[in-house]
Amino acid sequence: LNHCSVTTSEGIGNTRHGYHPVQQRLAGFHASQCGFCTPGMCMSIFSALVKADKPDGPAPPTGFSKLTCSEAEHAVSGNLCRCTGYRPILDTCKSFAADVDLEDLGLNSFWKKGTDRADVGKLPEYSSGAVCTFPEFLKSEIKGQMNDIPAAIAGQDGWYHPKSIEELHSLFDSNWFDENSVKIVASNTGAGVYKDQDLYDKYIDIQGIPELSVIDRSSKGLEIGAAVSISKVIEVFSDGTPVFTKIAGHLSKVASPFVRNTATVGGNVIMAQRLQFPSDIATVLLAAGSTVTVQTASKMLRLTMEEFLEQPPCDAKTILLSIFVPDWGSDNVIFETSRASPRPFGNAVSFVNSAFLARTSGQLVIEDICLAFGAYGVDHATRARKVEEFLKGKSVSAAVILEAVQLLKDVISPSEGTTHPEYRVSLAVSFLFSFLSSLGNNLNEPANAIAPNGSCANGPEKHGTVGSDDLPVRSRQELVFSDEYKPVGKPITKAGAELQASGEAMYVDDIPAPKDCLYGAFMYSTHPHAHVKSVNFRSSLASEKVITVISAKDIPVGGKNVGSGFRMLGEEALFGDPVSEFAGQNIGIVIAETQKYAYMAAKQAVIDYSTENLEPPILTIEDAIQHNSYFQTPPFLAPRPVGDIDQGMSQADHKILSGEVKLESQYYFYMETQTALAIPDEDNCITIYSSTQLPEITQNVVADCLGIPYHNVRIITRRVGGGFGGKGLKGTHGSMCVCSCSFQVAAPCPDVPRPQDGHDHGGRAAPDEGEVLRRV
């Protein structure tokens, strides 16, 4: 963030200075439920408005922006919402678009559909340029700092920023350089995919090296530095030949807008080469005939993308300098890219990606062709050489397509362990079939000769295709209003929605940590139904940060090993002791000075198991039936039979002859993870800020575990960032974690702010109860 201006959701509007129209419209369109994602939605919409507000082009109508509905729909493509649903959020985005039909917008508190006239004047007024994203005083301050920057490439904080390749190599040659404790970063977005397995002492930031940020356009092609952001690459490629434009279009579906704004094209390619990342960018560049320039410890190499990907993984001292993409022009060159992923607009890795480039003659004879496929279960993007050789010199016909598809099915072979291998192969085949069909000059043979499985029975009718990018998102919500229970049912704005949109609404993890606060992270069992013999830590920087480990033996005298419980439903143990009952059960809690240290150290835990004298685990429904192992249904939940089921099924018009459904485990995916803050209080009491859906159950379980009266435990829950039931009983585990730690290793301290006394004896103002409830 050095030399950057940071604009936050509080910065564009807040309680004291008034809310921004984006925040007000999010609230008015009922686009905020739990609110955990709302500040991000707010900033995405605001950023789209700032980007669209360019000086060129006609001025938009009063109250609107230069944003279009299509751009508005893409504005939040990088955001995730788990509670609200995207329809009201999209309505908020589109309410700023100059080409929107306000009547199409859904339920809101600004007008009553069917009765009131939809009018932009009823919306919170918007005018462009209301917020300066880079104030002048910051510009002048940065200029002053630039003049004072010393020539040294390293500071005392372990952050190194070389200004040339020579300085970078001098760092590599330093005695302190160790690739296990030094991390080379440009934007470091790859850490979101490959979590760090250990801590790092030093970082080398290569963003300041000019050779890595070059953009050189010539008649031969485009040279792009490895540290250029993906968003900048898209911008550069968008203003070029059809091949370049196609590349830009495909790259706009990679990752999300936030990631693309900082992630580098070189970093993506390096991850594909070194870590077998299923990269779309590597596949597209491979098909486009790209070459790379690589600097090793001793020499500079110029390699084709294919040669680079096939090399052994690069070491830490090998630097990707630039990528060159040749200019293919537009004559007799056809370039197509495809990808299939869980979500079309980024934030999802492809099941399969492909890129095809063909040069044809005037008679549509294929003179040269490159077919690249990736992400289907191989180490890196590859070319289908056998299919290429078969197609060269041929004019595309139904028979040629059939032969090519059959060859491809032999070439595309996902490695063992790849999920849904048949589906991935079928995707690759469909991509090639679609591409070759577009090259076909005369496909009049029977359809069953075209389709490999003879499934096309409607003849060679040609259908127009519409890309999913061009389809507008349309939805409608109709409600019938009645005055019978007025004002119940009236679509009024939710209290606190604007607070959530501005980011001022605080969640448990937002509470400033008290002085001398310690952090915990669970260690989980990786073995079902096994004795836990010992817990050690692998030698690492993270393990050195461990203060202590809390386990079942540390539960206070009089307390119980209970992590969750509900009346008449039984209890669940907090720790697997002495037997881990299932994989994923809590074994212990690592205590460290920061949350990052605790998480990282928990990954370094080495747990020794033993299955001696234990029965094999019951892992399937069939195992459970065989062992007569069932959960007992509480009487009040037992279903009461109504009628004769056997007789009813025998007389039914439609009968289920047989059927079987198997479901894998599911992930709740609440945006706010399980979190809690515990503050020890006087007289054997404790105050807990917990993100739980069942505060009363949490209070009881905490008291039972610690062996103290219920009234000694105070639970404060202000708001929960998504729940869906997963923060009910399971939410107590996080509270138990911090309570156990607090009672074991964090005795009350006069510097810890307590909600009861209203003052921080360390000199910092501590909030009273009302302040806490408003901010938490």
Side-chain angles (χ1 to χ4, degrees):
L1 294 179
N2 193 29
H3 297 157
C4 292
S5 168
V6 180
T7 303
T8 66
S9 51
E10 296 94 333
I12 67 172
N14 52 63
T15 307
R16 289 171 296 174
H17 302 106
Y19 294 108
H20 191 274
V22 171
Q23 297 162 338
Q24 294 173 319
R25 295 190 190 187
L26 278 167
F29 278 97
H30 315 296
S32 180
Q33 188 172 321
C34 82
F36 199 77
C37 72
T38 312
M41 297 289 181
C42 170
M43 293 310 298
S44 290
I45 300 172
F46 174 77
S47 299
L49 293 173
V50 171
K51 184 178 180 180
D53 187 29
K54 297 179 180 179
D56 56 332
T62 304
F64 293 102
S65 71
K66 295 182 181 180
L67 205 65
T68 66
C69 280
S70 176
E71 293 170 340
E73 289 170 357
H74 287 75
V76 293
S77 62
N79 297 72
L80 292 177
C81 176
R82 187 66 175 81
C83 307
T84 311
Y86 287 92
R87 185 199 54 76
I89 298 171
L90 287 178
D91 283 345
T92 304
C93 296
K94 291 191 284 190
S95 71
F96 292 93
D99 59 345
V100 70
D101 184 350
L102 293 177
E103 295 289 351
D104 288 341
L105 301 182
L107 182 71
N108 61 76
S109 59
F110 303 117
W111 56 73
K112 190 173 180 180
K113 289 183 71 68
T115 303
D116 301 338
R117 184 174 63 89
D119 184 8
V120 69
K122 297 178 181 179
L123 296 172
E125 182 180 358
Y126 170 75
S127 59
S128 61
V131 175
C132 177
T133 56
F134 214 116
E136 290 298 327
F137 79 91
L138 279 182
K139 294 180 181 179
S140 59
E141 185 175 319
I142 289 174
K143 289 180 180 178
Q145 291 179 358
M146 294 293 286
N147 296 330
D148 298 333
I149 290 179
I153 61 173
Q156 296 181 351
D157 56 356
W159 191 267
Y160 298 78
H161 41 90
K163 300 300 180 182
S164 67
I165 296 294
E166 291 74 20
E167 291 183 357
L168 177 61
H169 281 288
S170 67
L171 291 174
F172 288 160
D173 296 335
S174 302
N175 294 330
W176 55 260
F177 183 83
D178 178 6
E179 61 181 87
N180 294 321
S181 61
V182 179
K183 189 171 187 180
I184 302 171
V185 297
S187 64
N188 203 28
T189 56
V193 180
Y194 300 100
K195 308 298 183 183
D196 292 338
Q197 296 301 310
D198 200 357
L199 302 175
Y200 292 94
D201 282 331
K202 303 175 181 67
Y203 293 83
I204 299 178
D205 181 6
I206 59 176
Q207 286 260 25
I209 300 177
E211 294 94 325
L212 302 183
S213 300
V214 64
I215 299 177
D216 184 15
R217 185 190 295 270
S218 67
S219 58
K220 294 182 179 180
L222 194 58
E223 184 96 17
I224 300 173
V228 176
S229 71
I230 297 176
S231 290
K232 186 64 177 178
V233 171
I234 294 173
E235 180 184 333
V236 173
F237 276 128
S238 297
D239 183 23
T241 62
V243 172
F244 287 171
T245 305
K246 281 284 184 180
I247 294 175
H250 193 103
L251 265 56
S252 65
K253 301 174 187 176
V254 172
S256 65
F258 324 119
V259 175
R260 292 195 298 265
N261 287 342
T262 53
T264 63
V265 63
N268 186 285
V269 173
I270 280 289
M271 285 199 305
Q273 200 276 344
R274 183 184 294 166
L275 304 175
Q276 301 176 8
F277 176 65
S279 166
D280 278 55
I281 296 179
T283 304
V284 172
L285 295 179
L286 172 60
S290 306
T291 58
V292 299
T293 303
V294 178
Q295 176 73 57
T296 66
S298 59
K299 57 185 176 180
M300 185 181 295
L301 301 175
R302 187 84 168 188
L303 306 171
T304 65
M305 181 63 68
E306 185 176 24
E307 293 170 339
F308 178 66
L309 293 175
E310 291 178 348
Q311 280 193 331
C314 298
D315 59 26
K317 296 184 179 182
T318 299
I319 302 298
L320 176 61
L321 298 180
S322 64
I323 301 168
F324 176 78
V325 184
D327 189 342
W328 291 90
S330 56
D331 295 335
N332 299 326
V333 172
I334 301 172
F335 185 71
E336 291 291 341
T337 69
S338 303
R339 77 191 301 264
S341 63
R343 290 170 294 279
F345 299 128
N347 266 346
V349 175
S350 301
F351 294 122
V352 175
N353 55 52
S354 67
F356 309 136
L357 188 145
R359 186 188 292 112
T360 62
S361 65
Q363 293 77 33
L364 287 180
V365 174
I366 299 176
E367 294 183 351
D368 197 8
I369 189 168
C370 177
L371 306 175
F373 295 89
Y376 61 88
V378 287
D379 294 345
H380 53 75
T382 58
R383 292 178 60 174
R385 291 281 187 177
K386 288 184 179 179
V387 185
E388 293 174 4
E389 292 299 325
F390 168 75
L391 290 172
K392 286 180 182 179
K394 289 185 174 63
S395 177
V396 178
S397 64
V400 169
I401 294 178
L402 176 59
E403 182 69 20
V405 164
Q406 290 173 338
L407 280 173
L408 182 66
K409 292 175 72 173
D410 296 332
V411 173
I412 299 296
S413 179
S415 58
E416 186 176 353
T418 302
T419 58
H420 312 297
E422 298 87 356
Y423 173 62
R424 295 172 190 262
V425 172
S426 68
L427 282 173
V429 167
S430 68
F431 293 158
L432 179 62
F433 179 84
S434 177
F435 176 68
L436 294 180
S437 298
S438 68
L439 297 180
N441 190 23
N442 185 19
L443 297 178
N444 291 325
E445 289 123 45
N448 59 5
I450 301 175
N453 57 4
S455 60
C456 281
N458 297 325
E461 179 182 356
K462 293 188 177 181
H463 299 276
T465 58
V466 180
S468 60
D469 298 14
D470 303 321
L471 295 176
V473 178
R474 296 189 182 279
S475 61
R476 180 175 293 276
Q477 183 179 20
E478 300 288 351
L479 295 180
V480 178
F481 296 102
S482 171
D483 293 337
E484 183 178 359
Y485 302 104
K486 191 176 181 178
V488 175
K490 183 180 179 181
I492 60 174
T493 301
K494 169 187 168 182
E498 291 174 329
L499 203 67
Q500 293 174 178
S502 69
E504 295 170 285
M506 295 187 71
Y507 297 79
V508 174
D509 222 24
D510 298 326
I511 302 173
K515 185 176 182 293
D516 297 326
C517 184
L518 297 178
Y519 297 80
F522 280 118
M523 295 182 296
Y524 299 106
S525 169
T526 57
H527 202 296
H529 204 215
H531 290 286
V532 179
K533 297 178 61 178
S534 64
V535 177
N536 297 295
F537 290 90
R538 182 161 51 86
S539 178
S540 64
L541 292 172
S543 63
E544 296 173 5
K545 302 293 185 179
V546 174
I547 294 176
T548 189
V549 174
I550 304 294
S551 62
K553 63 180 176 60
D554 297 299
I555 294 176
V557 177
K560 296 164 47 181
N561 182 17
V562 55
S564 65
F566 195 79
R567 185 172 59 89
M568 302 180 70
L569 290 180
E571 296 177 342
E572 179 183 340
L574 177 61
F575 299 110
D577 178 67
V579 174
S580 163
E581 298 176 0
F582 54 90
Q585 188 174 23
N586 308 324
I587 298 298
I589 306 168
V590 177
I591 309 299
E593 292 182 1
T594 70
Q595 193 67 68
K596 181 179 180 180
Y597 292 167
Y599 281 145
M600 200 70 71
K603 293 180 181 179
Q604 311 292 340
V606 179
I607 304 173
D608 188 18
Y609 302 95
S610 171
T611 57
E612 186 177 357
N613 299 325
L614 290 178
E615 293 292 329
I618 298 174
L619 302 178
T620 66
I621 294 292
E622 291 77 12
D623 289 346
I625 294 174
Q626 181 180 352
H627 290 82
N628 197 30
S629 177
Y630 299 94
F631 286 106
Q632 296 301 316
T633 305
F636 69 95
L637 290 179
R640 290 178 295 178
V642 178
D644 190 328
I645 296 177
D646 293 333
Q647 180 182 352
M649 292 299 295
S650 65
Q651 298 174 354
D653 294 332
H654 302 282
K655 297 178 177 60
I656 301 174
L657 301 180
S658 65
E660 182 178 293
V661 176
K662 291 188 177 181
L663 298 178
E664 298 179 356
S665 59
Q666 298 181 20
Y667 181 51
Y668 275 105
F669 195 51
Y670 15 72
M671 300 297 289
E672 178 196 28
T673 51
Q674 306 280 20
T675 183
L677 168 66
I679 301 178
D681 211 336
E682 61 187 12
D683 197 20
N684 209 31
C685 295
I686 192 165
T687 298
I688 304 167
Y689 300 90
S690 177
S691 177
T692 177
Q693 290 177 277
L694 296 174
E696 71 282 10
I697 301 297
T698 303
Q699 179 191 39
N700 297 348
V701 171
V702 167
D704 288 341
C705 182
L706 297 179
I708 59 178
Y710 289 172
H711 64 264
N712 281 22
V713 180
R714 183 184 184 202
I715 304 292
I716 300 175
T717 300
R718 177 63 182 92
R719 55 173 56 85
V720 175
F724 328 108
K727 291 192 172 182
L729 299 179
K730 289 297 183 180
T732 60
H733 284 245
S735 301
M736 289 308 312
C737 169
V738 294
C739 290
S740 302
C741 304
S742 298
F743 262 57
Q744 291 294 325
V745 296
C749 166
D751 287 335
V752 175
R754 302 189 181 93
Q756 287 82 358
D757 65 10
H759 293 86
D760 184 342
H761 303 283
R764 182 178 60 185
D768 59 22
E769 179 181 347
E771 287 288 331
V772 169
L773 290 177
R774 187 163 64 250
R775 287 170 39 205
V776 174

